[in-house]
Structures are given as C-alpha cells and as structure tokens.
Amino acid sequence: MRTGGIDSSQIQAMIAQLKAHATRPQATPPVVQTETPAAKVNFADALKNSLDAVNASQVKADTQGQRFAMGDESVSLSDVMISMQKASINFQATMQVRNKLVTAYHDIMNMQV
C-alpha cells in the first residue's frame, strides 16, 4: 500500500529499525576521573589574552588584505574575506563583552550600601 508516495513497507521497516536501536544496550558512560582542581585564572590575564587574540586576528586580516591587493598569488580573495569576517566577529564580540562589563560596573556603583 502506498501512502502519499511512500510505501508502507518502508515505514514499517523504519519503525523496526528505530525499535531495534531503542532496545540496543547503551554504551557505558566514561568513568569520570577525579583530577586536581584547575589552576585559578587571573581575570586581567584572561582579558589581556583575549584582547591579544582579537588584535592578532585583525592584524592577520589586514596583512592578508595587503598581500592580496599587491597581487600575491598565494592569497585568495576568499581567504581574505573569511579572515576579515573572523576579525570583525571577534571585534564585535569584544565590544559586547566591554558593554556588559561597563553595565555591570554601573549597576554595582549604583547599589545602595
């Protein structure tokens, strides 16, 4: 019997496969090993590393753009556009983090003590 262009035997076969998969024993979850607590990260260092990474992506995009404009055959237009978009997204994310930090600072300063 065909229902809407699909043979009912195909539907039954698919249901049988789903039931077989559902009844198959699941793999045991990996054993969680207790590790020493992660080293504490200094906020200033984390922020500086993030800003350095954003700067590096912008420098890379700028360098690739200059190389492409000078006619370097090893740099394609798609590579330049991708690196520029990555740099732009990184910068926008950094600005959003900055805005959240400024908002949090203002909220804390406006709290009644």
Side-chain angles (χ1 to χ4, degrees), residues 27-47:
T28 59
V31 176
V32 177
Q33 297 179 3
T34 57
E35 296 180 11
T36 59
K40 292 185 179 180
V41 178
N42 186 0
F43 178 75
D45 291 339
L47 185 62

Side-chain angles (χ1 to χ4, degrees), residues 11-61:
I11 294 173
Q12 295 300 324
M14 180 61 74
I15 291 172
Q17 286 178 354
L18 290 172
K19 286 180 180 178
H21 181 68
T23 58
R24 188 176 353 160
Q26 299 295 324
T28 59
V31 176
V32 177
Q33 297 179 3
T34 57
E35 296 180 11
T36 59
K40 292 185 179 180
V41 178
N42 186 0
F43 178 75
D45 291 339
L47 185 62
K48 183 180 181 330
N49 291 340
S50 297
L51 292 175
D52 288 343
V54 170
N55 184 46
S57 70
Q58 289 180 331
V59 168
K60 178 184 174 187

Side-chain angles (χ1 to χ4, degrees), residues 29-100:
V31 176
V32 177
Q33 297 179 3
T34 57
E35 296 180 11
T36 59
K40 292 185 179 180
V41 178
N42 186 0
F43 178 75
D45 291 339
L47 185 62
K48 183 180 181 330
N49 291 340
S50 297
L51 292 175
D52 288 343
V54 170
N55 184 46
S57 70
Q58 289 180 331
V59 168
K60 178 184 174 187
D62 188 46
T63 303
Q64 280 188 337
Q66 288 176 356
R67 287 176 51 200
F68 180 77
M70 292 184 157
D72 189 349
E73 298 284 327
S74 65
V75 179
S76 68
L77 179 60
S78 61
D79 291 339
V80 173
M81 296 305 293
I82 289 170
S83 66
M84 288 180 148
Q85 285 299 316
K86 284 180 180 179
S88 175
I89 290 169
N90 288 338
F91 184 72
Q92 289 174 6
T94 302
M95 293 306 298
Q96 291 298 321
V97 169
R98 180 200 64 116
N99 292 343
K100 291 290 184 181

